[in-house]
Amino acid sequence: MWNYERRLEYPVNITEPNAMLAQAIISQYGGPDGEMGASMRYLSQRYACPYREVSAVLTDIGTEELGHLEIVATIVHQLTKNLSMEDIEKSGFANYYVDHTIGIWPQAASGMPFSAAQFQSTGDIIADLMEDMAAEQKARLTYDNILRLIHDQEVCEPIKFLRAREIVHFQRFGDAYRKHCSKSEHTKYNHEDAYPHFL
């Protein structure tokens, strides 16, 4: 069971609507390297993980990503909740508005809807952890790109927090690999030809 605390992991208090920023930031809700895919990836991969300690890391980070999903959704909601129809038309938000009004819907900044095909759960701990580390770096890059577009500190601060957590997650997955997977006879037998530099 989950223990849900009714507060965001990092506070979001945005006072000025900005649909253009919302359209960029929503990519971290349902885009190819966003928080929805991250949470589903890790919470799915944990079941086939042969090491309890690594499964615990996947559970911890997957759960935290659900919290990040809430932060991103809150940012997008606060950036769009007081838009005028004139703002919607001028900002290019009209296409989204037609389908979703100002509801939060998982898509990339390009408009591509979220798909589980964006991530993998292979049942192979080496493949999964390598994907997880790459995913955290791609999410960090997406936040970097968002920060290049943003000058409003009310929006920047929670984005900076989320970016920092991607780096921590990358490090935790790397530690999990080094501590538990690289020394395993099962891992060595299956992967010494493909990954000799890790052994």
Side-chain angles (χ1 to χ4, degrees):
M1 293 296 294
W2 307 104
N3 290 319
Y4 179 67
E5 192 170 328
R6 295 186 66 182
R7 66 176 178 85
L8 294 178
E9 188 181 2
Y10 190 94
V12 178
N13 297 295
I14 298 167
T15 54
E16 293 294 323
N18 187 323
M20 291 184 73
L21 286 184
Q23 291 173 90
I25 292 168
I26 204 164
S27 219
Q28 279 303 84
Y29 189 74
D33 304 307
E35 306 292 357
M36 181 171 290
S39 61
M40 296 299 100
R41 175 188 294 112
Y42 309 145
L43 293 175
S44 298
Q45 289 174 352
R46 66 186 174 145
Y47 290 100
C49 180
Y51 310 108
R52 285 179 42 194
E53 297 88 347
V54 180
S55 181
V57 170
L58 289 164
T59 302
D60 289 348
I61 296 176
T63 303
E64 185 177 354
E65 300 289 16
L66 291 173
H68 294 175
L69 196 63
E70 276 192 308
I71 294 172
V72 174
T74 302
I75 293 170
V76 172
H77 171 67
Q78 290 184 10
L79 285 169
T80 58
K81 69 177 178 179
N82 293 318
L83 289 172
S84 68
M85 289 311 298
E86 184 180 4
D87 292 333
I88 289 167
E89 291 168 10
K90 285 183 178 178
S91 65
F93 195 65
N95 290 345
Y96 182 95
Y97 182 84
V98 167
D99 290 335
H100 311 293
T101 318
I102 56 168
I104 305 299
W105 190 72
Q107 69 173 46
S110 65
M112 182 70 68
F114 173 77
S115 168
Q118 295 167 345
F119 67 88
Q120 180 59 281
S121 177
T122 68
D124 180 294
I125 191 59
I126 300 295
D128 284 348
L129 283 175
M130 292 299 121
E131 177 178 357
D132 299 345
M133 292 171 70
E136 293 297 327
Q137 286 301 316
K138 289 186 283 184
R140 187 265 312 152
L141 174 62
T142 304
Y143 282 126
D144 283 343
N145 291 339
I146 289 169
L147 285 168
R148 291 184 187 104
L149 299 171
I150 295 173
H151 307 290
D152 183 341
Q153 287 305 304
E154 291 180 336
V155 183
C156 278
E157 292 309 310
I159 296 295
K160 287 178 183 176
F161 168 80
L162 292 167
R163 180 194 180 279
R165 295 306 299 164
E166 305 299 350
I167 294 168
V168 171
H169 295 170
F170 172 80
Q171 293 167 340
R172 288 194 67 198
F173 285 134
D175 288 344
Y177 175 80
R178 285 187 296 276
K179 289 178 184 174
H180 302 289
C181 301
S182 63
K183 299 173 187 174
S184 164
E185 285 303 312
H186 170 76
T187 301
K188 189 171 184 179
Y189 175 76
N190 286 320
H191 301 283
E192 60 186 356
D193 294 333
Y195 302 100
H197 56 289
F198 288 128
L199 302 175

